[in-house]
Amino acid sequence: MYRILIVDDESIERKGLRKVITDEFPNVTIEEADNGRTAILKAEEFRPDVIFMDIKMPGIDGIEACREIKKLHPSVHIIMVTAFDTFEYARQVMKIGVRDYILKPSTKEEITTPLRKVLTEVEREKEKRKEEIILKDNYRRALSIVQSKVITAMLMEASYGQHLGDLQLEQNFQRDSFVLVVEAKKKQGVVERINVQELMSYIQAELGHFYHQYFLGEENMGRIPVLVQLTDREKNKVREYALKSGQELINKGRSLFSNVELSIGIGRVYNEVEKLVQSYHEALFALSMARSAYSCKYYNDHVDKAEHTMSSYPYKLEKKVLETVTSGQTGDVASYFQQYFDALMLFCEKSTDILEEKLSEFFILLSRQIAESGVSVSFDRHQLEMQPASSIQNKLVEISQHIHKMYHSQNKDVLVMAKEYIDQHYKKAITLEEVADEVKLSPQYFSKIFKSRANCSFIDYLTEIRVEKAKELIRLQESSVKEICYEVGYKDPNYFSRVFKKHTGFSPSEYRHSLN
């Protein structure tokens, strides 16, 4: 349905024009205005697709009315109606974007021909706008998915993390930020599943009332990580503001999600990308300290005594211990744990309270990573925290041996199977998830296993294979660079050239010339 506004100070002219249009174009809605001022008001309310505008009217004439309407609605199409066939009128209307005008009196054909042409253009513009809306909507959806994966990768160090270098993390995320983690647990006795998408939509909308910029990661085991980027105003009282926003999110969610118990943990503020993982771990630790459901906890409230030495905490050694245990590297566990424990003792400065606190945090992380890997291993972390270092070390070795037995006693080693699969399928768009499925491991756990045992990430290994295959094909001198690009699994020749040069120091063409 098209909307048409007829503007003329003579009623008989408006009626005649209306009849000609409705007889020829039944799918239109028509409004009328008897002067320029009314036309401006009508255009604002009615938002016509086409306006038939008489030039000579008392008060605001047609040209001035068109000028004002075009300011508000640049896309509207205007057909001027005049009894004066002069160049000056034509020049004036063309200056304001009017391309069609008809002379009074007009025949039916003189009215319908330009109108038909204009309506065809209106239809094209509507289709174009519709396509643009769809494209923008798809882009927003895709961007939301990408951001979700980036945040998840950054915070949880999942498999997507190997691609983060291409996403300009420092440019996009190197600013004052903190992480909060929303945990949703089903109430006891509830059988229906949690509607994760609905919960995430709620969190997205609710946080928008508090923060200018924030990103949701992917839900994992009932936990949703959120990276919050702070403005100067928000930085002033971040603890109070974060706790207030978190508690309000919980309170409103309590009535909206009656089958779920919500809790929130909040990490500290950092302005370096590398430290955001630390804020995430702090949020998890704060979450673990919640003694009841519907709690919102801030990390600093539990570790104030260690504030002055927190920067020296042995995070890298802690990460190494967790990796060796959960990847089944039994021979390395004892050594790395000893190094970690020695560094932890120095960090805690012989404070028993801080030592117990940090060991508690370590076992929380260990429990989470074991659970995420899908391995069935149970231990009482509260009891283990009270044991001497030697007992803890022995237990970690025992856990690692159990994991090793589960994943390394197969007919063929998972790393060997993974490499064979990559070697056979590198020519296509192979993904970590695909290979993980082939060796029957979760993507996150497979990524960790692969990196710890192959001494490189999955994507680095795949890239190395592809580059070596490309070098072989270049040496054969039988294919163009573009053909080789597709042959080794890349779809974009420019991207392939960048990857090749990064790994060899030469572009594919330079490498070919160097062989001569």
Side-chain angles (χ1 to χ4, degrees):
M1 185 69 70
Y2 302 104
R3 297 184 298 275
I4 298 177
L5 176 62
I6 299 174
V7 186
D8 199 305
D9 60 328
E10 297 182 17
S11 174
I12 191 168
E13 292 287 347
R14 297 197 303 272
K15 285 184 171 59
L17 199 51
R18 174 189 281 268
K19 185 174 189 317
V20 170
I21 294 171
T22 52
D23 285 349
E24 189 71 18
F25 304 94
N27 60 332
V28 298
T29 300
I30 298 177
E31 290 282 340
E32 298 179 14
D34 59 3
N35 58 62
R37 185 178 301 278
T38 304
I40 295 170
L41 297 175
K42 282 270 188 180
E44 178 66 22
E45 178 185 347
F46 182 50
R47 301 187 71 82
D49 299 303
V50 184
I51 299 176
F52 280 88
M53 178 74 73
D54 185 27
I55 288 182
K56 295 293 288 183
M57 291 183 293
I60 297 177
D61 66 15
I63 293 175
E64 184 60 30
C66 285
R67 190 175 287 114
E68 292 301 314
I69 291 170
K70 274 285 189 179
K71 287 180 184 177
L72 298 172
H73 310 293
S75 63
V76 69
H77 293 263
I78 300 176
I79 300 175
M80 300 301 295
V81 181
T82 178
F84 304 93
D85 185 13
T86 67
F87 176 76
E88 180 58 26
Y89 279 123
R91 187 183 65 81
Q92 288 188 57
V93 298
M94 287 176 69
K95 284 176 66 176
I96 57 175
V98 177
R99 295 291 177 267
D100 292 288
Y101 71 97
I102 58 178
L103 295 173
K104 296 180 181 179
S106 309
T107 65
K108 178 180 177 181
E109 186 177 350
E110 287 172 337
I111 295 170
T112 58
T113 297
L115 179 56
R116 185 173 288 106
K117 183 180 73 172
V118 167
L119 290 181
T120 301
E121 194 170 338
V122 168
E123 186 62 31
R124 280 201 302 265
E125 289 174 355
K126 284 185 176 182
E127 287 298 318
K128 184 179 178 182
R129 283 196 295 271
K130 183 179 177 181
E131 289 175 4
E132 287 174 350
I133 290 171
I134 293 172
L135 283 172
K136 286 180 180 179
D137 185 56
N138 289 340
Y139 172 76
R140 281 193 294 266
R141 289 173 184 271
L143 182 61
S144 175
I145 292 169
V146 169
Q147 287 175 338
S148 174
K149 290 183 180 294
V150 168
I151 298 307
T152 302
M154 194 190 308
L155 302 183
M156 301 180 67
E157 299 174 310
S159 57
Y160 318 107
Q162 311 308 327
H163 302 283
L164 296 182
D166 298 330
L167 296 173
Q168 298 180 312
L169 284 186
E170 290 192 3
Q171 177 181 326
N172 295 319
F173 299 105
Q174 190 106 326
R175 59 193 71 179
D176 289 311
S177 310
F178 70 89
V179 177
L180 66 85
V181 177
V182 181
E183 182 175 61
K185 291 183 178 178
K186 284 196 297 186
K187 287 184 178 178
Q188 194 169 6
V190 173
V191 293
E192 64 263 30
R193 297 177 62 184
I194 297 172
N195 189 326
V196 174
Q197 196 56 52
E198 188 176 328
L199 177 60
M200 292 184 73
S201 297
Y202 163 72
I203 295 170
Q204 183 92 23
E206 195 61 29
L207 287 178
H209 299 312
F210 292 94
Y211 301 108
H212 176 70
Q213 187 79 297
Y214 55 92
F215 304 93
L216 269 67
E218 297 174 307
E219 180 270 341
N220 186 50
M221 297 181 65
R223 289 172 172 171
I224 301 168
V226 183
L227 175 67
V228 178
Q229 294 183 335
L230 299 170
T231 62
D232 291 336
R233 179 180 64 83
E234 294 165 349
K235 282 187 288 187
N236 293 333
K237 293 184 178 180
V238 63
R239 177 187 177 278
E240 291 80 357
Y241 205 59
L243 286 171
K244 179 183 177 182
S245 62
Q247 199 58 60
E248 285 201 22
L249 191 148
I250 289 172
N251 293 341
K252 289 183 181 179
R254 191 169 187 168
S255 58
L256 291 173
F257 302 93
S258 57
N259 63 328
V260 173
E261 294 178 342
L262 296 176
S263 296
I264 292 176
I266 302 168
R268 295 180 299 173
V269 176
Y270 297 96
N271 59 10
E272 297 176 23
V273 171
E274 294 78 9
K275 294 286 187 69
L276 297 178
V277 175
Q278 186 170 327
S279 184
Y280 171 65
H281 287 171
E282 291 171 356
L284 289 175
F285 180 72
L287 196 58
S288 73
M289 298 303 291
R291 303 303 178 192
S292 59
Y294 306 109
S295 297
C296 182
K297 298 294 181 183
Y298 188 70
Y299 181 78
N300 262 22
D301 296 341
H302 303 290
V303 294
D304 286 342
K305 287 181 288 186
E307 183 69 22
H308 66 288
T309 57
M310 186 57 69
S311 60
S312 62
Y313 181 79
Y315 282 104
K316 289 185 179 179
L317 283 171
E318 178 191 69
K319 181 180 177 182
K320 201 65 182 177
V321 176
L322 293 170
E323 284 180 352
T324 52
V325 172
T326 56
S327 61
Q329 298 180 68
T330 56
D332 297 327
V333 173
S335 173
Y336 279 121
F337 178 78
Q338 187 64 56
Q339 294 177 51
Y340 166 71
F341 192 82
D342 290 344
L344 186 60
M345 290 293 288
L346 290 172
F347 165 78
C348 295
E349 297 180 340
K350 299 181 180 180
S351 168
T352 305
D353 289 344
I354 297 176
L355 178 62
E356 289 177 356
E357 208 163 55
K358 299 312 294 180
L359 280 176
S360 176
E361 183 176 354
F362 171 82
F363 284 116
I364 289 168
L365 293 173
L366 179 63
S367 300
R368 177 175 62 84
Q369 291 192 18
I370 289 175
E372 288 175 354
S373 71
V375 178
S376 178
V377 179
S378 61
F379 62 91
D380 187 341
R381 67 177 179 84
H382 298 292
Q383 183 181 5
L384 199 54
E385 290 166 11
M386 307 306 294
Q387 299 297 315
S390 58
S391 298
I392 295 175
Q393 185 183 77
N394 292 338
K395 184 62 179 178
L396 294 179
V397 171
E398 180 183 325
I399 293 170
S400 180
Q401 288 172 339
H402 180 80
I403 293 173
H404 180 88
K405 183 178 179 180
M406 289 193 66
Y407 288 119
H408 296 260
S409 61
Q410 305 177 42
N411 292 333
K412 190 176 286 187
D413 190 288
V414 290
L415 183 63
V416 175
M417 292 169 63
K419 286 185 173 181
E420 286 181 355
Y421 188 83
I422 294 169
D423 291 346
Q424 294 168 9
H425 297 84
Y426 70 89
K427 294 183 179 181
K428 66 174 188 174
I430 188 172
T431 64
L432 182 143
E433 289 77 10
E434 180 181 341
V435 182
D437 185 62
E438 180 69 18
V439 298
K440 305 297 187 293
L441 295 179
S442 70
Q444 292 86 354
Y445 191 62
F446 170 69
S447 176
K448 187 183 300 180
I449 287 278
F450 192 98
K451 187 173 183 179
S452 62
R453 297 192 56 216
N455 294 318
C456 66
S457 68
F458 163 80
I459 194 65
D460 286 341
Y461 180 82
L462 176 59
T463 301
E464 189 66 32
I465 290 292
R466 286 172 167 170
V467 169
E468 288 302 317
K469 297 294 184 184
K471 288 164 69 175
E472 290 178 16
L473 292 172
I474 291 173
R475 284 195 291 268
L476 292 174
Q477 302 283 344
E478 293 178 356
S479 304
S480 67
V481 171
K482 190 174 183 180
E483 290 171 335
I484 292 171
C485 163
Y486 299 138
E487 182 67 15
V488 298
Y490 291 100
K491 295 181 178 180
D492 183 350
N494 291 327
Y495 179 70
F496 162 66
S497 294
R498 291 198 301 272
V499 171
F500 190 92
K501 186 164 187 176
K502 181 179 178 181
H503 281 74
T504 66
F506 299 92
S507 69
S509 299
E510 290 170 345
Y511 183 75
R512 173 167 280 165
H513 290 317
S514 72
L515 299 174
N516 297 329

